[in-house]
PDB file of all heavy atoms in Angstrom:
ATOM      1  N   GLY A 622     -22.775  17.910 226.759  1.00 97.00           N
ATOM      2  CA  GLY A 622     -24.073  17.414 227.204  1.00 97.00           C
ATOM      3  C   GLY A 622     -25.172  17.529 226.165  1.00 97.00           C
ATOM      4  O   GLY A 622     -26.308  17.148 226.427  1.00 97.00           O
ATOM      5  N   PHE A 623     -24.853  18.068 224.990  1.00 98.00           N
ATOM      6  CA  PHE A 623     -25.819  18.270 223.910  1.00 98.00           C
ATOM      7  C   PHE A 623     -27.020  19.097 224.357  1.00 98.00           C
ATOM      8  O   PHE A 623     -28.148  18.877 223.910  1.00 98.00           O
ATOM      9  CB  PHE A 623     -26.273  16.931 223.324  1.00 98.00           C
ATOM     10  CG  PHE A 623     -25.204  16.225 222.516  1.00 98.00           C
ATOM     11  CD1 PHE A 623     -24.277  15.416 223.159  1.00 98.00           C
ATOM     12  CD2 PHE A 623     -25.122  16.381 221.154  1.00 98.00           C
ATOM     13  CE1 PHE A 623     -23.274  14.778 222.441  1.00 98.00           C
ATOM     14  CE2 PHE A 623     -24.118  15.747 220.422  1.00 98.00           C
ATOM     15  CZ  PHE A 623     -23.202  14.942 221.056  1.00 98.00           C
ATOM     16  N   THR A 624     -26.749  20.052 225.232  1.00 98.00           N
ATOM     17  CA  THR A 624     -27.794  20.969 225.672  1.00 98.00           C
ATOM     18  C   THR A 624     -27.657  22.330 225.004  1.00 98.00           C
ATOM     19  O   THR A 624     -28.574  23.159 225.074  1.00 98.00           O
ATOM     20  CB  THR A 624     -27.727  21.170 227.193  1.00 98.00           C
ATOM     21  OG1 THR A 624     -26.423  21.667 227.541  1.00 98.00           O
ATOM     22  CG2 THR A 624     -27.980  19.861 227.924  1.00 98.00           C
ATOM     23  N   ALA A 625     -26.517  22.572 224.345  1.00 98.00           N
ATOM     24  CA  ALA A 625     -26.267  23.857 223.690  1.00 98.00           C
ATOM     25  C   ALA A 625     -25.306  23.625 222.535  1.00 98.00           C
ATOM     26  O   ALA A 625     -24.599  22.612 222.463  1.00 98.00           O
ATOM     27  CB  ALA A 625     -25.682  24.868 224.671  1.00 98.00           C
ATOM     28  N   GLY A 626     -25.304  24.581 221.620  1.00 98.00           N
ATOM     29  CA  GLY A 626     -24.420  24.482 220.476  1.00 98.00           C
ATOM     30  C   GLY A 626     -24.037  25.850 219.948  1.00 98.00           C
ATOM     31  O   GLY A 626     -24.740  26.835 220.159  1.00 98.00           O
ATOM     32  N   VAL A 627     -22.889  25.899 219.270  1.00 98.00           N
ATOM     33  CA  VAL A 627     -22.391  27.126 218.667  1.00 98.00           C
ATOM     34  C   VAL A 627     -22.259  26.894 217.167  1.00 98.00           C
ATOM     35  O   VAL A 627     -21.652  25.904 216.730  1.00 98.00           O
ATOM     36  CB  VAL A 627     -21.035  27.532 219.256  1.00 98.00           C
ATOM     37  CG1 VAL A 627     -20.479  28.764 218.536  1.00 98.00           C
ATOM     38  CG2 VAL A 627     -21.166  27.804 220.755  1.00 98.00           C
ATOM     39  N   VAL A 628     -22.802  27.809 216.375  1.00 98.00           N
ATOM     40  CA  VAL A 628     -22.705  27.683 214.923  1.00 98.00           C
ATOM     41  C   VAL A 628     -21.283  28.050 214.495  1.00 98.00           C
ATOM     42  O   VAL A 628     -20.838  29.180 214.701  1.00 98.00           O
ATOM     43  CB  VAL A 628     -23.732  28.586 214.221  1.00 98.00           C
ATOM     44  CG1 VAL A 628     -23.572  28.494 212.707  1.00 98.00           C
ATOM     45  CG2 VAL A 628     -25.142  28.180 214.610  1.00 98.00           C
ATOM     46  N   GLN A 629     -20.575  27.094 213.919  1.00 97.00           N
ATOM     47  CA  GLN A 629     -19.196  27.318 213.488  1.00 97.00           C
ATOM     48  C   GLN A 629     -19.126  27.962 212.108  1.00 97.00           C
ATOM     49  O   GLN A 629     -18.264  28.781 211.854  1.00 97.00           O
ATOM     50  CB  GLN A 629     -18.428  25.995 213.482  1.00 97.00           C
ATOM     51  CG  GLN A 629     -18.223  25.393 214.866  1.00 97.00           C
ATOM     52  CD  GLN A 629     -17.383  24.139 214.817  1.00 97.00           C
ATOM     53  OE1 GLN A 629     -17.587  23.281 213.960  1.00 97.00           O
ATOM     54  NE2 GLN A 629     -16.422  24.022 215.722  1.00 97.00           N
ATOM     55  N   ARG A 630     -20.019  27.557 211.231  1.00 97.00           N
ATOM     56  CA  ARG A 630     -20.021  28.136 209.879  1.00 97.00           C
ATOM     57  C   ARG A 630     -21.334  27.814 209.207  1.00 97.00           C
ATOM     58  O   ARG A 630     -22.098  26.946 209.661  1.00 97.00           O
ATOM     59  CB  ARG A 630     -18.858  27.604 209.037  1.00 97.00           C
ATOM     60  CG  ARG A 630     -18.871  26.092 208.831  1.00 97.00           C
ATOM     61  CD  ARG A 630     -17.579  25.594 208.211  1.00 97.00           C
ATOM     62  NE  ARG A 630     -17.521  24.140 208.173  1.00 97.00           N
ATOM     63  CZ  ARG A 630     -17.827  23.398 207.106  1.00 97.00           C
ATOM     64  NH1 ARG A 630     -18.211  23.998 205.992  1.00 97.00           N
ATOM     65  NH2 ARG A 630     -17.730  22.096 207.139  1.00 97.00           N
ATOM     66  N   GLU A 631     -21.604  28.524 208.117  1.00 98.00           N
ATOM     67  CA  GLU A 631     -22.749  28.253 207.272  1.00 98.00           C
ATOM     68  C   GLU A 631     -22.250  27.905 205.875  1.00 98.00           C
ATOM     69  O   GLU A 631     -21.387  28.590 205.341  1.00 98.00           O
ATOM     70  CB  GLU A 631     -23.687  29.456 207.193  1.00 98.00           C
ATOM     71  CG  GLU A 631     -24.449  29.747 208.477  1.00 98.00           C
ATOM     72  CD  GLU A 631     -25.421  30.904 208.287  1.00 98.00           C
ATOM     73  OE1 GLU A 631     -25.182  31.759 207.415  1.00 98.00           O
ATOM     74  OE2 GLU A 631     -26.444  30.941 209.010  1.00 98.00           O
ATOM     75  N   VAL A 632     -22.776  26.832 205.315  1.00 97.00           N
ATOM     76  CA  VAL A 632     -22.460  26.456 203.947  1.00 97.00           C
ATOM     77  C   VAL A 632     -23.605  26.942 203.067  1.00 97.00           C
ATOM     78  O   VAL A 632     -24.779  26.643 203.341  1.00 97.00           O
ATOM     79  CB  VAL A 632     -22.299  24.938 203.804  1.00 97.00           C
ATOM     80  CG1 VAL A 632     -22.006  24.561 202.357  1.00 97.00           C
ATOM     81  CG2 VAL A 632     -21.211  24.418 204.737  1.00 97.00           C
ATOM     82  N   THR A 633     -23.295  27.690 202.043  1.00 97.00           N
ATOM     83  CA  THR A 633     -24.311  28.167 201.125  1.00 97.00           C
ATOM     84  C   THR A 633     -23.699  28.307 199.747  1.00 97.00           C
ATOM     85  O   THR A 633     -22.501  28.088 199.547  1.00 97.00           O
ATOM     86  CB  THR A 633     -24.901  29.514 201.600  1.00 97.00           C
ATOM     87  OG1 THR A 633     -26.024  29.856 200.763  1.00 97.00           O
ATOM     88  CG2 THR A 633     -23.866  30.622 201.557  1.00 97.00           C
ATOM     89  N   GLY A 634     -24.506  28.613 198.750  1.00 96.00           N
ATOM     90  CA  GLY A 634     -24.002  28.746 197.395  1.00 96.00           C
ATOM     91  C   GLY A 634     -25.058  28.318 196.395  1.00 96.00           C
ATOM     92  O   GLY A 634     -26.100  27.746 196.755  1.00 96.00           O
ATOM     93  N   PRO A 635     -24.811  28.579 195.111  1.00 97.00           N
ATOM     94  CA  PRO A 635     -25.814  28.273 194.080  1.00 97.00           C
ATOM     95  C   PRO A 635     -26.097  26.792 193.912  1.00 97.00           C
ATOM     96  O   PRO A 635     -27.106  26.413 193.318  1.00 97.00           O
ATOM     97  CB  PRO A 635     -25.194  28.878 192.804  1.00 97.00           C
ATOM     98  CG  PRO A 635     -23.726  28.927 193.080  1.00 97.00           C
ATOM     99  CD  PRO A 635     -23.604  29.223 194.548  1.00 97.00           C
ATOM    100  N   GLN A 636     -25.187  25.920 194.419  1.00 97.00           N
ATOM    101  CA  GLN A 636     -25.429  24.485 194.306  1.00 97.00           C
ATOM    102  C   GLN A 636     -26.555  24.020 195.231  1.00 97.00           C
ATOM    103  O   GLN A 636     -27.108  22.941 195.042  1.00 97.00           O
ATOM    104  CB  GLN A 636     -24.149  23.696 194.588  1.00 97.00           C
ATOM    105  CG  GLN A 636     -23.747  23.581 196.050  1.00 97.00           C
ATOM    106  CD  GLN A 636     -22.973  24.786 196.558  1.00 97.00           C
ATOM    107  OE1 GLN A 636     -23.060  25.874 195.991  1.00 97.00           O
ATOM    108  NE2 GLN A 636     -22.205  24.601 197.619  1.00 97.00           N
ATOM    109  N   LEU A 637     -26.882  24.816 196.256  1.00 98.00           N
ATOM    110  CA  LEU A 637     -27.972  24.489 197.172  1.00 98.00           C
ATOM    111  C   LEU A 637     -29.269  25.059 196.605  1.00 98.00           C
ATOM    112  O   LEU A 637     -29.424  26.256 196.466  1.00 98.00           O
ATOM    113  CB  LEU A 637     -27.704  25.053 198.569  1.00 98.00           C
ATOM    114  CG  LEU A 637     -26.480  24.486 199.302  1.00 98.00           C
ATOM    115  CD1 LEU A 637     -26.326  25.164 200.653  1.00 98.00           C
ATOM    116  CD2 LEU A 637     -26.589  22.976 199.476  1.00 98.00           C
ATOM    117  N   ARG A 638     -30.200  24.150 196.303  1.00 98.00           N
ATOM    118  CA  ARG A 638     -31.480  24.556 195.737  1.00 98.00           C
ATOM    119  C   ARG A 638     -32.604  23.935 196.575  1.00 98.00           C
ATOM    120  O   ARG A 638     -33.120  22.894 196.268  1.00 98.00           O
ATOM    121  CB  ARG A 638     -31.580  24.129 194.275  1.00 98.00           C
ATOM    122  CG  ARG A 638     -30.464  24.713 193.392  1.00 98.00           C
ATOM    123  CD  ARG A 638     -30.675  24.361 191.933  1.00 98.00           C
ATOM    124  NE  ARG A 638     -30.577  22.936 191.684  1.00 98.00           N
ATOM    125  CZ  ARG A 638     -30.938  22.348 190.530  1.00 98.00           C
ATOM    126  NH1 ARG A 638     -31.438  23.093 189.558  1.00 98.00           N
ATOM    127  NH2 ARG A 638     -30.806  21.044 190.368  1.00 98.00           N
ATOM    128  N   SER A 639     -32.902  24.601 197.685  1.00 98.00           N
ATOM    129  CA  SER A 639     -33.843  24.086 198.672  1.00 98.00           C
ATOM    130  C   SER A 639     -33.449  22.672 199.096  1.00 98.00           C
ATOM    131  O   SER A 639     -34.178  21.698 198.874  1.00 98.00           O
ATOM    132  CB  SER A 639     -35.277  24.088 198.130  1.00 98.00           C
ATOM    133  OG  SER A 639     -35.718  25.380 197.864  1.00 98.00           O
ATOM    134  N   PRO A 640     -32.275  22.524 199.738  1.00 98.00           N
ATOM    135  CA  PRO A 640     -31.843  21.192 200.169  1.00 98.00           C
ATOM    136  C   PRO A 640     -32.772  20.640 201.234  1.00 98.00           C
ATOM    137  O   PRO A 640     -33.184  21.353 202.146  1.00 98.00           O
ATOM    138  CB  PRO A 640     -30.450  21.462 200.727  1.00 98.00           C
ATOM    139  CG  PRO A 640     -30.480  22.881 201.189  1.00 98.00           C
ATOM    140  CD  PRO A 640     -31.358  23.587 200.201  1.00 98.00           C
TER     141      PRO A 640
END
Side-chain angles (χ1 to χ4, degrees):
F623 289 85
T624 58
V627 176
V628 178
Q629 293 184 316
R630 60 190 173 98
E631 290 184 334
V632 179
T633 188
Q636 77 276 22
L637 296 178
R638 301 185 295 169
S639 297

